[in-house]
Amino acid sequence: MINVNRGLADPDLAVVKVKQLELLRKLGRVPLGTEISGYRIVVEKLWKAQWYKCCYCERKTTWSFNDIDHFRPKGSANRMPGCAQRHGYWWLAFDWDNLLFSCSSCNRSAKNDRFPTRIGSVSLQAEELPPGKERPLLLDPSGSENPVEHIQFNPLLTPDGLDWWATARGGSEIGAATIEICKMNNAEFRELRRDHFLSVISPVILDINEALEASQYPLAAARMERMRELLRPRSSYVAFSYDAFNYFISEARLRAAGIDPMLGISFIGR
Ligand SMILES: [Zn+2]
């Protein structure tokens, strides 16, 4: 997960919001048994703003069969461990700042209606705008926190090769909760990371290492450009690529070779 930038709010969504909120205000919730979907008019726009990637797992995917995720769930919200209240954020169902493009695995199988909050958090009530005194225990890809500073990917050597697991960087509480909510360590995501490492990351690392071992520092510096491309927001699995690269080639080693790594954590996804 890296930060995403939606860009300017969609004016068409604002029109839909005015009309739809009339109904939702009367009910005080989203209609039961009827899926509201007017917010889907922004799915393609969000998809493009997020570089065609799911905001949580960073896989590139098509928009047509995938989802708009409501960061604050619209229907009902499971806020445990911080709060037992279950009301959904219906008044944010058409709010540009609450919408993200997500693959169906992350939105439906993983996150669903879960929206954990910290102990002592005060949940928003109808029509209140975030953040108020609410303290989510879930990283918002469009928020001010850099997800890379909270989630780290570490390899485990198995008979089948390296198995990359998401862990809480520096013991981050919100990182640990986000990993659990988004099921970042399920078999599907670990297999995607394994494949990305073998087919994309590993060849670049091997080439840079080869140049470093031969003391061919200008060549190593040139090859670093390929790694930097893999860390641009538009690439797949940027957060994972950052940790995989750092695991094998430290910044200290690059600096010793006179190469500016320019791979500081604050750079990632920005
Ligand atoms: Zn996803």
Side-chain angles (χ1 to χ4, degrees):
M1 185 192 298
I2 60 172
N3 282 127
V4 302
N5 183 357
R6 298 181 188 83
L8 294 174
D10 186 290
D12 292 338
L13 181 68
V15 175
V16 172
K17 178 179 174 179
V18 169
K19 195 170 178 184
Q20 294 274 355
L21 276 187
E22 264 184 52
L23 168 68
L24 301 188
R25 279 196 179 103
K26 285 177 191 162
L27 293 172
R29 52 173 167 74
V30 296
L32 299 176
T34 311
E35 184 61 26
I36 56 170
S37 60
Y39 52 80
R40 272 197 72 83
I41 63 166
V42 296
V43 63
E44 191 174 353
K45 193 168 188 175
L46 287 174
W47 175 64
K48 287 178 179 172
Q50 293 175 203
W51 301 105
Y52 314 97
K53 294 193 292 181
C54 169
C55 65
Y56 295 110
C57 70
E58 283 199 80
R59 88 172 89 187
K60 291 213 178 193
T61 184
T62 58
W63 65 265
S64 53
F65 296 108
N66 288 288
D67 292 350
I68 292 279
D69 174 64
H70 290 78
F71 180 67
R72 286 176 165 80
K74 64 186 184 304
S76 66
N78 179 351
R79 299 178 177 82
M80 296 303 284
C83 177
Q85 292 182 342
R86 292 297 300 256
H87 64 276
Y89 300 84
W90 55 266
W91 63 99
L92 301 177
F94 300 89
D95 197 300
W96 177 247
D97 292 334
N98 194 42
L99 305 181
L100 293 157
F101 173 76
S102 162
C103 75
S104 54
S105 290
C106 288
N107 186 39
R108 289 179 234 176
S109 305
K111 185 169 171 277
N112 211 330
D113 74 341
R114 296 185 71 186
F115 187 68
T117 53
R118 295 176 189 276
I119 305 292
S121 168
V122 180
S123 298
L124 298 181
Q125 300 300 311
E127 311 275 358
E128 286 184 344
L129 295 177
K133 291 183 179 174
E134 192 169 69
R135 299 291 174 261
L137 204 46
L138 179 69
L139 287 163
D140 178 355
S142 66
S144 57
E145 295 278 353
N146 180 356
V148 184
E149 294 180 355
H150 295 274
I151 296 170
Q152 182 171 14
F153 295 92
N154 291 307
L156 196 68
L157 186 58
T158 73
D160 292 331
L162 294 179
D163 193 12
W164 293 86
W165 288 73
T167 59
R169 195 185 298 278
S172 168
E173 186 184 14
I174 195 169
T178 302
I179 290 165
E180 194 261 320
I181 295 293
C182 295
K183 297 186 177 174
M184 288 184 175
N185 286 325
N186 73 11
E188 176 190 4
F189 292 136
R190 286 178 14 243
E191 180 61 27
L192 288 171
R193 287 197 285 270
R194 175 187 157 80
D195 185 54
H196 185 71
F197 178 76
L198 289 174
S199 61
V200 179
I201 303 292
S202 179
V204 178
I205 289 173
L206 287 172
D207 280 352
I208 295 169
N209 252 335
E210 182 187 75
L212 288 172
E213 294 293 331
S215 301
Q216 294 181 315
Y217 300 140
L219 179 61
R223 288 176 174 175
M224 278 288 294
E225 288 306 315
R226 288 164 56 195
M227 194 63 226
R228 288 195 183 94
E229 274 307 308
L230 298 179
L231 299 176
R232 305 280 184 222
R234 68 184 310 146
S235 298
S236 300
Y237 310 114
V238 171
F240 164 56
S241 300
Y242 170 76
D243 286 322
F245 178 78
N246 276 304
Y247 184 82
F248 287 100
I249 304 178
S250 71
E251 289 195 7
R253 188 176 180 201
L254 291 169
R255 289 190 199 284
I259 301 170
D260 179 3
M262 282 180 56
L263 298 174
I265 201 165
S266 58
F267 163 84
I268 303 306
R270 307 282 180 159

